[in-house]
Amino acid sequence: MAQTIDEASSYSGPDRLEKLVAAAKAEGALTLYTATPVEDVTAMTEAFTAKYDIPVTVWRGSSEDVLRRAVTEIKAGRHDADLIETNGPELEALHRENILQPVSSPIIPDIFEGAVPAHKEWVGSRLNIITAAYNTDLVSEADVPNAWSDLLDPKWKGKVGLEAEAYDWLATVNASFPSEKEGIDFFTRLADTNGISLRKGHTLLTNLAASGEVPLALTTYLYKVDQMNKDGAPIKSLQLGPSVARVNGLGIAKTAKHPNAAILFQDFTLTDGQKILAERGFTPTNIKIAPLPTSLDVKVVDGAAMLDKLAEWRDTFEKAVK
């Protein structure tokens, strides 16, 4: 029997999955709008189709394009998108546009705290963890900094790199200082005394740390550092303060033509799909399936706050480190 989106999203009985699968198979299709790289989303959709025999139509674009297209189409009465997968701030923007459907899922308690907003209109499926890293050929173990203040030592002059638009990183890290003023004052002082090399792109900065052009980088993707380290590159991650996590997740459109298939795909991504994400180098949010390292202090970017204060933090960042 078919389930409406309200029925499917709120039902919590013991036969929830059975009913969801039956209704999704009856719908027989799913359309996903996503900002996920092609090869990664293909691995997920192919596994989903293999398990449930439900074909997935994918439209892919940048996070900004996904947001723009979803809002424009749905507001115009075109309801192609069943499920929208993108970054946390863009998903939060969709929530504010009243586009997403809240879903009560028994999987939610297994998801990393901070990856599920209170309104439950979207849920984080993976974390892009940003942390510091250093070149092990150029920085000896004895010289590895243990705290932010260590970077003010003159030996770090000209050796520290930072992603050129790390506004959300600064906002999140800054919250770990005793006060907002102390955090901003520290980064301003670091830039004034030892300099900060600004580079566009976290992956580029990671590569530059591995090559030695930037001996110590403050904002690298943890998964990329680990990949390169395993491949023999002279690079290693470290924590000076909290590692910053950007959330990527999924939300179901209220106007979905295939709501059961959309909810089933979301559940699949948060369970079976977590292993696929881990195998592809991502950090899953389901800590029951893939626990985060106990040594890792992670602070999640507040997508709602960044929507409200992006211009303010952009200005703060540029004044402090440029």
Side-chain angles (χ1 to χ4, degrees), residues 48-104:
F48 175 79
T49 300
K51 182 169 185 175
Y52 294 114
D53 195 29
I54 299 172
V56 182
T57 299
V58 175
W59 184 88
R60 187 191 173 279
S62 68
S63 56
E64 294 83 3
D65 288 341
V66 168
L67 171 61
R68 187 182 305 112
R69 179 165 176 155
V71 171
T72 300
E73 289 185 349
I74 291 172
K75 294 294 184 182
R78 181 178 171 184
H79 303 151
D80 290 347
D82 296 312
L83 184 66
I84 303 163
E85 181 179 44
T86 187
N87 298 324
E90 283 77 14
L91 286 165
E92 197 60 28
L94 289 169
H95 155 68
R96 294 184 180 187
E97 291 286 349
N98 198 32
I99 281 173
L100 301 179
Q101 174 77 17
V103 177
S104 297

Side-chain angles (χ1 to χ4, degrees), residues 3-12 16-17 20 82-84 91 95 99-109 111 115-124 250-256 258-268 270:
Q3 298 185 102
T4 67
I5 190 167
D6 288 331
E7 291 170 341
S9 62
S10 62
Y11 187 69
S12 59
R16 175 182 180 273
L17 181 59
L20 199 57
D82 296 312
L83 184 66
I84 303 163
L91 286 165
H95 155 68
I99 281 173
L100 301 179
Q101 174 77 17
V103 177
S104 297
S105 169
I107 305 164
I108 295 300
I111 303 302
V116 184
H119 52 67
K120 295 182 180 179
E121 289 185 14
W122 59 270
V123 57
L250 311 93
I252 287 88
K254 287 183 176 180
T255 53
H258 311 105
N260 294 278
I263 295 170
L264 184 62
F265 188 92
Q266 185 182 66
D267 278 9
F268 176 83
L270 297 174

Side-chain angles (χ1 to χ4, degrees), residues 138-157:
L138 300 177
V139 180
S140 69
E141 287 298 319
D143 286 336
V144 173
N146 295 307
W148 291 117
S149 57
D150 293 344
L151 295 179
L152 298 176
D153 190 302
K155 68 185 176 185
W156 293 108
K157 190 172 184 66

